[in-house]
Amino acid sequence: MEGGSCFGQLLSLCLVVVVQCLVVSGGPIHRVADLHWYSATATWYGSPDGDGSDGGACGYGSLVDVKPLRARVGAVSPVLFKAGEGCGACYKVRCLDKSICSRRAVTVIITDECPGGYCSGGRTHFDLSGAAFGRMAVAGNGNQLRNRGEISVSYRRTPCKYPGKNIAFHVNEGSTDYWLSLLVEFEDGDGDVGSMHIKEASSIEWMEMKHIWGANWCIIGGPLRGPFSVKLTTLSTAKTLSARDVIPRNWSPKATYTSRLNFFS
């Protein structure tokens, strides 16, 4: 994992002011759901009925192999991956060939990036798991659809839904009292993260974390003393959620700590 330098800043007041200005001047923040369908292309990878990649450029690791992500994962071209800030976003994708495809759209969660080939040159492209790709076909025609290789599709953003799940924070391996890295899991609603802040229980100051890669964020300081509260702001609609003391005083690397909150809770 690449770290890089990241320094704490105090931006809580600024965020509050920005959100208040949006509410006063522009009314409610728009929802992430988009009713308009956009043109793109799609391919598939892995085994024909497989769940997709193991891990991926977002850093979700083995989560992609189990529900609710299982068989719903997808890689996207850089235009949608957004250097990792598009991780966790959800899309509906449907095939346009009425001779072989149903009207049913599949919902996929962005867990990976496809940087070359069909995904290069500024194209909007989805590289789906074999299972997700086949679901776009009329019943019984999944193999025929997969045999076509690249196909034309339409897509749109849709809210992520993780029934029974709350936002969790995985402490990445290598984290210490001086370098703390977190992976965000199961964020419903927008799904993407635009900024994250962390606060020690003994402090009133929110410190900004730095986006390092995929869905991973870090902070350098020290010594950092738990328990920690974590505040995240979505990239798409700037919605904010704060999980108080979600990471305990005796936290450990490679452990996952689940909050009591989610955007649809």
Side-chain angles (χ1 to χ4, degrees):
M1 178 182 297
E2 296 179 3
S5 70
C6 53
F7 301 95
Q9 294 184 6
L10 309 178
L11 295 182
S12 177
L13 179 59
C14 293
L15 285 173
V16 171
V17 171
V18 170
V19 172
Q20 288 177 339
C21 288
L22 285 172
V23 172
V24 172
S25 62
I29 299 175
H30 291 96
R31 299 181 62 185
V32 70
D34 190 345
L35 299 180
H36 182 77
W37 292 86
Y38 302 90
S39 298
T41 51
T43 50
W44 64 278
Y45 65 101
S47 60
D49 295 310
D51 299 330
S53 65
D54 181 12
C58 290
Y60 295 124
S62 60
L63 285 179
V64 301
D65 299 322
V66 296
K67 293 182 178 180
L69 273 67
R70 183 179 181 183
R72 299 174 63 200
V73 305
V76 288
S77 54
V79 68
L80 295 180
F81 189 70
K82 302 175 184 177
E85 290 188 334
C87 288
C90 295
Y91 292 88
K92 286 188 178 295
V93 183
R94 65 184 182 189
C95 173
L96 298 179
D97 188 344
K98 297 181 180 179
S99 68
I100 193 172
C101 296
S102 69
R103 296 181 179 181
R104 181 178 60 251
V106 294
T107 299
V108 296
I109 305 162
I110 303 311
T111 65
D112 205 354
E113 179 184 26
C114 55
Y118 292 115
C119 295
S120 61
R123 299 180 67 188
T124 303
H125 186 84
F126 291 82
D127 197 18
L128 306 179
S129 68
F133 195 90
R135 285 198 187 110
M136 292 186 291
V138 173
N141 289 330
N143 286 333
Q144 295 181 43
L145 181 61
R146 284 187 286 265
N147 286 339
R148 295 195 176 185
E150 183 188 26
I151 62 172
S152 296
V153 298
S154 59
Y155 74 97
R156 64 178 175 87
R157 280 291 298 274
T158 189
C160 297
K161 298 179 181 179
Y162 300 111
K165 293 282 188 180
N166 288 329
I167 294 175
F169 301 94
H170 177 78
V171 180
N172 289 316
E173 186 175 5
S175 291
T176 69
D177 291 340
Y178 294 86
W179 184 84
L180 177 61
S181 176
L182 302 177
L183 169 73
V184 185
E185 301 174 352
F186 305 125
E187 178 204 338
D188 63 19
D190 292 359
D192 51 26
V193 179
S195 67
M196 278 181 60
H197 293 73
I198 195 168
K199 182 171 70 69
E200 298 171 309
S202 60
S203 175
I204 62 171
E205 300 174 344
W206 287 97
M207 300 177 288
E208 184 182 24
M209 302 189 77
K210 179 181 179 181
H211 178 231
I212 47 177
W213 66 280
N216 297 276
W217 298 72
C218 83
I219 186 169
I220 288 179
L224 300 167
R225 303 297 187 193
F228 300 111
S229 298
V230 181
K231 178 170 63 177
L232 61 84
T233 302
T234 67
L235 178 67
S236 299
T237 61
K239 294 178 181 176
T240 297
L241 179 148
S242 299
R244 182 178 178 182
D245 297 339
V246 63
I247 300 175
R249 183 181 306 276
N250 59 341
W251 62 269
S252 60
K254 299 193 289 185
T256 300
Y257 301 102
T258 302
S259 74
R260 299 178 181 178
L261 306 169
N262 215 326
F263 284 100
F264 284 167
S265 295

